[in-house]
């Protein structure tokens, strides 16, 4: 367990796990703090960015050497539907998840010679605690009506795609973002 808002917590985790040999890394942490444009502050933006992006980079930078030495690795960042489209009051979240996509594409270029595949999975509306916290029941019903699948996605549907990207079946998919969104972005 570690607190991704705390640089000290991340450092302590890495110190306690310095001999850990990682060849698969999935960053699936995320916070979404809703704010109107006039409510945006540097602290708000930085806290969301710290959990959603900076923590991923800090952790991965410690694990990447093992992957390079072994000439093998799979890295998946969980981005979001909001890295593709946006919605009111989502500036911190959309900005952070879009940044994570940029990080992944750059790393994909840098790490491909080492047989390290770096990708993103962009969930759409998934039935999670965070979705139910940020959306009213009416909003959820309206979203479900707008989705070609007619329902929120299940967490297992996201993990199935992540599992494929981290498996040996994935030999050359890198630098990509795969939307698992029930067809939302087709509209």
């Amino acid at each position: 367990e570690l607190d991704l808002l705390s640089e000290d917590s991340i450092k302590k985790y890495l110190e306690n796990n310095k001999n850990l040999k990682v060849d698969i890394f999935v960053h699936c942490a995320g916070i979404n703090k809703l704010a109107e444009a006039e409510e945006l502050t540097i602290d708000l933006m930085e806290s969301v960015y710290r959990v959603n992006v900076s923590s991923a980079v800090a952790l991965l930078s410690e694990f990447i050497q093992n992957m390079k030495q072994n000439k093998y690795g799979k890295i998946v960042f969980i981005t979001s539907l909001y890295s593709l489209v946006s919605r009111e009051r989502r500036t911190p979240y959309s900005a952070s998840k879009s940044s994570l996509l940029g990080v992944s594409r750059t790393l994909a270029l840098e790490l491909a010679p080492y047989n390290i595949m770096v990708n993103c999975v962009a969930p759409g509306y998934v039935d999670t605690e965070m979705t139910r916290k940020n959306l009213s029941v009416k909003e959820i019903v309206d979203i479900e009506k707008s989705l070609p699948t007619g329902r929120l996605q299940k967490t297992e549907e996201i993990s199935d795609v992540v599992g494929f990207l981290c498996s040996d079946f994935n030999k050359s998919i890198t630098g990509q973002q795969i939307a698992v969104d029930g067809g939302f972005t087709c509209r």
Side-chain angles (χ1 to χ4, degrees):
E1 184 176 319
L2 69 151
D3 177 0
L4 296 178
L5 279 171
S6 167
E7 191 174 340
D8 289 337
S9 179
I10 292 171
K11 285 180 182 176
K12 183 178 177 185
Y13 174 84
L14 291 171
E15 282 175 23
N16 292 339
N17 294 283
K18 61 184 167 195
N19 295 322
L20 191 61
K21 303 295 184 200
V22 174
D23 59 359
I24 295 174
F25 178 82
V26 179
H27 187 268
C28 60
I31 58 172
N32 184 2
K33 295 183 178 181
L34 305 181
E36 300 283 342
E38 62 274 8
E39 298 170 327
L40 296 173
T41 64
I42 290 173
D43 288 341
L44 174 64
M45 294 296 292
E46 286 181 350
S47 68
V48 173
Y49 195 87
R50 178 169 286 152
V51 170
N52 296 359
V53 182
S54 300
S55 65
V57 173
L59 291 165
L60 185 58
S61 66
E62 292 296 319
F63 300 141
I64 203 71
Q65 194 57 41
N66 182 65
M67 292 183 194
K68 283 177 141 180
Q69 286 173 349
N70 292 333
K71 293 211 176 270
Y72 178 85
K74 309 290 184 176
I75 300 167
V76 177
F77 299 111
I78 304 301
T79 56
S80 170
L81 166 71
Y82 291 129
S83 67
L84 299 163
V85 298
S86 197
R87 186 175 173 171
E88 296 81 0
R89 302 174 357 146
R90 301 305 193 276
T91 299
Y93 190 72
S94 289
S96 69
K97 293 301 186 172
S98 295
S99 294
L100 199 53
L101 176 59
V103 168
S104 72
R105 288 186 171 155
T106 302
L107 291 178
L109 293 172
E110 292 177 14
L111 300 175
Y114 298 95
N115 191 36
I116 301 170
M117 306 293 114
V118 184
N119 292 289
C120 293
V121 172
Y125 291 101
V126 182
D127 194 356
T128 65
E129 185 178 311
M130 186 165 71
T131 298
R132 296 203 176 268
K133 175 185 165 198
N134 289 327
L135 299 171
S136 69
V137 173
K138 181 189 181 318
E139 287 174 310
I140 290 172
V141 168
D142 290 344
I143 288 167
E144 288 177 328
K145 287 179 184 175
S146 75
L147 293 170
T149 58
R151 61 177 176 77
L152 299 179
Q153 277 39 83
K154 297 175 184 170
T155 56
E156 296 82 12
E157 294 169 315
I158 310 309
S159 63
D160 287 346
V161 175
V162 171
F164 171 79
L165 291 172
C166 293
S167 76
D168 288 334
F169 290 110
N170 177 18
K171 293 178 177 47
S172 63
I173 301 171
T174 195
Q176 302 303 307
Q177 177 170 256
I178 299 173
V180 184
D181 65 358
F184 180 86
T185 51
C186 293
R187 294 202 185 269

